[in-house]
Amino acid sequence: MSRIMKVARMQLINKWTFIGIPLIVLAGSFLFTLAVWYLVRRGGGEGTLYGGGAQAPMWYFLALGIQALTLTFPFAMAMSVSRRSFYLGTLALFGGCAMVLAVFYYLMGLLEEATGGWGVDGRFFALQWIAENNWLTQILFYFMLTVLLFMVGFYAATLYMRWRTTGVLVFTIGLGLALLGTVALITLTESWPEVGRWLAGWTAAGVTALGAGLAVLLAGSSYLTLRKATI
Amino acid sequence: MSETPAITTRDLAKTYKDVRALDGVSLNLAPNRIYGLLGRNGAGKTTLMSILTGQNFADRGTAEIFGHTPFEHDPTLARLCFIRESQKYPDDFKVRQAFSAAAIFFENWNEQLAQDLVKAFNLPLNRRIKKLSRGQLSAVGVIIGMASRAEITFFDEPYLGLDAVARQIFYDRLVEDFAQHPRTIVLSSHLIDEVANLLEHVIVIDQGRIIIDSEAEDLQGAAVTVTGSAQKVEEFIAGYPVIHRDALGSLASISIRARLTAEQRARAQILGLELSPVSLQQLVVRSTLSSQSDREQTTERQAIK
Amino acid sequence: MIDDSKPIFMQISELIENDIISGTLPEESQVPSTNEFAAFYRINPATAAKGINRLVEEGLLYKKRGIGMFVAQGAPAKLRSSRREHFAKQFVTPLTAEAAKLGIEMDELIAMIKSTSAG
C-alpha cells in the first residue's frame, strides 16, 4: 500500500472526525430546520420556506482543513511521511468525502422535490438556483463548494505552519485590503448597478468553474507553501 | 568500513533568526550501533535530528541517510523513526489510535512489543492523548520509537516526566530489544550518567558545534581528577591537558585528560594525591564549559567571585 | 559493578576473570551470554561482546558453536600467573609508598602483613 493511501487511512483512524460529526451536523441542522418550518406552517406562514442549514457541514470542512494540518501534519512527520505524501493523501481523502457529500446532497434534493419540500414546501437541499441545473452541474457545484471551503482552511493553516502568526496576519490583512480596495473602486466609479447585473448573470456552472479554479489555485499554493513548512 | 554509513552529514549549518542552531556539523554514523547525542538544552540536538529526518532543512551542507537525502524521499523516510520531545498528536486521538497509526506506517512495527511496553509503563490506552501527563506523553513516544523497530530510531530526550522506575524500564527494554534486533539508535539526552553505559559512541554538541565525537570506551577512564596539595598536584599534572581546575586554599583539584599507568598511580600515591575517575557526564560538562569562548569564561569566573 | 574508571568492556573481562580465579566459574563451565551480561549490567550488548571476545583471544574462554562460551582448561592457572606479574606494581608499590609517608619502617610493615594474614 502506498504511503499516500496510508495517510488517508491515518486520517480515518478516528472515523467520527470525518464521517460521524459531519453527518450529525447535517442531521441536526436539517431536523432543526424542519421543526422551524413545521412551526411556521402551524402559525399560518405561507409561501416557499428556505433553510440555509445545508451549508453547515461544509463549514465544518473548513475547520477540518485547519485541523488536518495543524495537528495531523506534525504527527504525520513523526510517522516518517513526506510532505508530498501527506498532502496527496489528505487531499484525496477530503476529495472523496466531498464527493460523497455532493452526491448525497443531490439525492436529498431529488427527494426534497419528490416529497413536495418535505410536505411543507420547504427548500433545504434543492435551492432553486442550483436545483434547476442538470445533475452533473449540481453534484459538481456541491463538490466544488465543499472542496473550496476545505482548501481555504487548509491554505490558511499551511500559511500558519510555514510563517506562523505573521503569515496568517499578512495574508488576512492583504485580503482585507484587496476587498476594501475593490469596494472603494466600485463605489468611487459609481458602478454598483453594473456589478449587480454582472453578479446576477452568473450561472451555477460558471460559479462552479470559478470556484474550482480558485480551489486548484489554493491547492497549488498550499503545496508549495507546505513543501518548506517545518513543525 | 565498506558498508554504507547509516548517517553522514557534511558541514551542516542552520540558523534561526539570531541563533546558530548548527554550525559546520560533519558526522559519520555506522549502522546497528547505539549513539549518544549529548548536550545542553538548546545545543542543537533536536535541530540536527529534524534535519536528518527530513522534517527541517539546513541552510548549508548535506545530510544523507543510507546514502540518500531524506528530504521528501519516502523510501528513505520509511526507514526512520523520530518522535520529538514536544511531539504533537491529533487533538482527537486516543493513545490506542496513535499506536494504530504507527502500525500503519512502520513496516517493522511489533504489536507485541508495543503491548508489553504499554503494560510496563501502565499507560491508559483509551485516554485522549491531550489529557495525558508529561510522563505518559513521553511513554507514548518511547513506545512508538521502540515498537517501530525502524532501521534508524531517534529518541529525543525520551525520559521527560518519567520517574526513575519508568526510565529504568525504558533503558532495560532498549538493551533487551536492541540485542535481539540490532538497529541504529540515536539517543539524545542531557541526563548523561543514566545512559552512559548503553552507548557505543558519544557525540557531544554545544552551541551547534560538535565538541566530542568518540567511541565511548575511549572516553571511559580517559580523564582523571587529581586532588591534593596544590603544589604537588601541579607537579603531577605537568604536561597533560587540563579540563578543569578547582582550588580551595592550598588544596587543588584538577581534572586532566590522561589514562594513567599503574606506575603513575603509584607515584600519585607517593605524592599523597587522590585520584578519582571522571564520569562521562563530568567530562561532557567540563568539555562544554571549556569550549565556550574565553570572554564568557572570564565573565563567569567574575560572576562567581 | 560498572564504574567510570576504565572502559566498560575491560571491566566486563575483569569481572569474568575474577570469577574464574575465585572458582565461581570453574573450568568447562558456561559463561553467561552477551545479552545476559548486557541486560544484567545495563550496558550495550556490543560492549559486553567485546569484553568476552577479549578473553576468547587470550584463550581463557572458548566458543561452542550454537551453545555459548565456556571457560577453557587451564584458564585459572593462566590468570593467576599473569596477575602475579602485576601484583607488585598494583599493590606492593603503593603499599610501601604509603608506609614511607607514615614513617612505617620495613620491619614493622612486614610484621603488619604477617599479623594481618594470620588473623
Side-chain angles (χ1 to χ4, degrees):
Chain A
M1 187 173 46
S2 86
R3 289 181 89 71
I4 297 171
M5 288 310 295
K6 287 181 180 179
V7 169
R9 259 183 74 196
M10 172 190 72
Q11 296 274 21
L12 276 180
I13 282 181
N14 202 337
K15 296 189 176 54
W16 270 106
T17 310
F18 269 82
I19 300 165
I21 296 179
L23 280 180
I24 289 177
V25 169
L26 182 63
S29 66
F30 180 53
L31 292 177
F32 180 78
T33 310
L34 274 187
V36 171
W37 287 342
Y38 180 72
L39 291 176
V40 170
R41 289 286 177 243
R42 281 277 304 250
E46 285 180 14
T48 304
L49 295 169
Y50 293 97
Q55 298 169 20
M58 294 178 176
W59 289 105
Y60 175 74
F61 263 65
L62 185 128
L64 264 186
I66 296 171
Q67 195 197 316
L69 211 68
T70 49
L71 292 158
T72 316
F73 176 62
F75 182 68
M77 291 261 92
M79 296 291 105
S80 299
V81 175
S82 68
R83 291 165 179 77
R84 186 184 49 251
S85 297
F86 171 78
Y87 175 85
L88 292 175
T90 304
L91 245 58
L93 176 66
F94 274 103
C97 287
M99 189 43 88
V100 170
L101 195 71
V103 171
F104 179 76
Y105 270 46
Y106 171 68
L107 294 176
M108 289 302 273
L110 290 183
L111 194 64
E112 187 167 282
E113 286 177 337
T115 56
W118 313 104
V120 288
D121 194 19
R123 293 278 182 279
F124 190 81
F125 295 99
L127 301 179
Q128 228 137 38
W129 182 70
I130 307 299
E132 65 200 11
N133 291 284
N134 65 36
W135 65 273
L136 186 64
T137 311
Q138 288 190 48
I139 289 176
L140 285 180
F141 177 80
Y142 295 130
F143 176 70
M144 175 281 294
L145 203 59
T146 313
V147 170
L148 181 61
L149 281 173
F150 170 73
M151 281 321 307
V152 169
F154 196 79
Y155 183 61
T158 26
L159 287 176
Y160 176 76
M161 290 316 288
R162 176 89 181 262
W163 292 291
R164 306 292 147 182
T165 320
T166 322
V168 180
L169 220 60
V170 167
F171 177 71
T172 321
I173 292 172
L175 197 66
L177 285 177
L179 284 175
L180 197 69
T182 314
V183 169
L185 191 71
I186 297 170
T187 311
L188 287 176
T189 56
E190 292 174 358
S191 37
W192 277 111
E194 284 153 54
V195 173
R197 274 196 294 280
W198 178 74
L199 283 177
W202 278 95
T203 60
V207 173
T208 306
L210 182 71
L214 205 57
V216 168
L217 193 69
L218 285 174
S221 337
S222 49
Y223 178 61
L224 292 178
T225 313
L226 189 66
R227 237 184 100 81
K228 281 281 180 180
T230 54
I231 48 179
Chain B
M1 265 183 278
S2 61
E3 63 185 339
T4 319
I7 299 172
T8 316
T9 73
R10 196 151 302 287
D11 198 28
L12 273 188
K14 171 89 182 169
T15 309
Y16 297 111
K17 284 183 186 156
D18 50 350
V19 184
R20 235 181 227 179
L22 292 180
D23 189 3
V25 170
S26 297
L27 291 169
N28 239 315
L29 276 67
N32 301 331
R33 310 187 73 199
I34 302 184
Y35 285 83
L37 180 59
L38 313 179
R40 309 173 63 182
N41 289 328
K45 305 189 295 275
T46 304
T47 303
L48 177 59
M49 291 188 287
S50 314
I51 293 173
L52 292 176
T53 51
Q55 300 189 13
N56 209 331
F57 337 90
D59 299 335
R60 196 184 71 212
T62 57
E64 286 186 352
I65 301 291
F66 296 118
H68 295 280
T69 304
F71 180 64
E72 289 296 88
H73 193 248
D74 271 308
T76 299
L77 291 175
R79 303 167 78 171
L80 307 173
C81 178
F82 171 41
I83 309 291
R84 37 182 78 220
E85 171 257 312
S86 58
Q87 183 59 52
K88 281 190 190 143
Y89 297 87
D91 239 6
D92 50 3
F93 261 26
K94 292 176 177 171
V95 172
R96 176 189 301 286
Q97 292 168 325
F99 295 150
S100 310
I104 294 176
F105 288 104
F106 296 108
E107 280 158 27
N108 300 332
W109 179 261
N110 188 286
E111 187 61 33
Q112 189 56 50
L113 177 59
Q115 283 178 17
D116 287 352
L117 289 166
V118 164
K119 273 199 205 101
F121 286 120
N122 214 354
L123 201 59
L125 273 176
N126 287 316
R127 191 167 299 170
R128 280 185 192 277
I129 292 183
K130 62 176 172 181
K131 300 218 166 125
L132 296 182
S133 69
R134 176 67 245 194
Q136 289 171 323
L137 195 62
S138 295
V140 173
V142 163
I143 293 173
I144 294 179
M146 294 264 282
S148 75
R149 289 208 178 134
E151 284 173 76
I152 304 180
T153 308
F154 297 85
F155 288 104
D156 183 16
E157 310 264 354
Y159 42 70
L160 290 185
L162 292 179
D163 58 29
V165 177
R167 294 206 297 271
Q168 203 55 66
I169 291 172
F170 168 53
Y171 303 134
D172 287 352
R173 293 307 184 98
L174 185 63
V175 168
E176 199 181 300
D177 202 58
F178 175 79
Q180 313 287 335
H181 303 273
R183 53 206 193 260
T184 307
I185 287 174
V186 178
L187 190 54
S188 135
S189 176
H190 65 260
L191 294 182
I192 299 168
D193 277 342
E194 284 195 1
V195 298
N197 293 351
L198 305 179
L199 309 177
E200 286 174 82
H201 192 100
V202 174
I203 296 165
V204 180
I205 184 166
D206 187 55
Q207 297 182 359
R209 290 168 178 274
I210 303 296
I211 56 171
I212 295 180
D213 179 7
S214 344
E215 292 292 294
E217 63 186 53
D218 293 336
L219 296 174
Q220 289 149 356
V224 63
T225 302
V226 188
T227 311
S229 88
Q231 192 200 337
K232 286 185 174 168
V233 170
E234 290 294 350
E235 190 184 316
F236 185 80
I237 60 146
Y240 290 108
V242 172
I243 48 183
H244 184 67
R245 281 172 190 276
D246 263 331
L248 178 68
S250 65
L251 274 181
S253 175
I254 300 182
S255 303
I256 51 169
R257 240 178 224 281
R259 241 180 238 289
L260 300 180
T261 61
E263 285 92 342
Q264 286 170 309
R265 289 180 179 278
R267 192 173 150 247
Q269 201 140 21
I270 293 168
L271 289 171
L273 301 175
E274 206 164 293
L275 300 176
S276 48
V278 174
S279 73
L280 184 59
Q281 169 126 358
Q282 289 169 312
L283 191 64
V284 168
V285 169
R286 297 307 174 207
S287 310
T288 309
L289 289 177
S290 62
S291 88
Q292 289 175 350
S293 74
D294 288 29
R295 200 175 58 85
E296 271 173 27
Q297 252 180 355
T298 335
T299 339
E300 224 168 68
R301 286 221 184 101
Q302 279 164 347
I304 292 165
K305 280 175 190 165
Chain C
M1 288 299 275
I2 306 293
D3 61 32
D4 298 314
S5 62
K6 53 183 95 163
I8 296 170
F9 76 92
M10 287 172 69
Q11 298 187 48
I12 292 293
S13 345
E14 280 168 19
L15 282 163
I16 300 173
E17 283 176 6
N18 289 342
D19 282 349
I20 294 175
I21 290 181
S22 71
T24 313
L25 283 173
E27 285 163 304
E28 296 302 336
S29 66
Q30 187 170 3
V31 177
S33 74
T34 301
N35 291 348
E36 283 167 333
F37 271 112
F40 187 78
Y41 290 108
R42 299 195 175 109
I43 56 170
N44 193 296
T47 312
K50 192 164 176 185
I52 292 173
N53 288 335
R54 199 162 156 248
L55 301 182
V56 173
E57 279 162 26
E58 287 170 18
L60 296 167
L61 301 181
Y62 69 97
K63 191 175 188 172
K64 282 191 194 167
R65 280 186 70 96
I67 307 176
M69 293 291 180
F70 290 80
V71 179
Q73 286 288 350
K78 213 173 187 173
L79 271 173
R80 257 182 230 113
S81 73
S82 80
R83 290 250 173 138
R84 270 164 185 272
E85 286 168 26
H86 289 99
F87 186 76
K89 252 190 223 165
Q90 228 177 339
F91 296 99
V92 181
T93 317
L95 180 78
T96 49
E98 183 72 12
K101 201 164 74 183
L102 299 174
I104 299 171
E105 295 292 328
M106 193 50 74
D107 294 345
E108 209 180 329
L109 182 62
I110 292 169
M112 270 182 191
I113 293 171
K114 278 183 177 157
S115 73
T116 310
S117 42

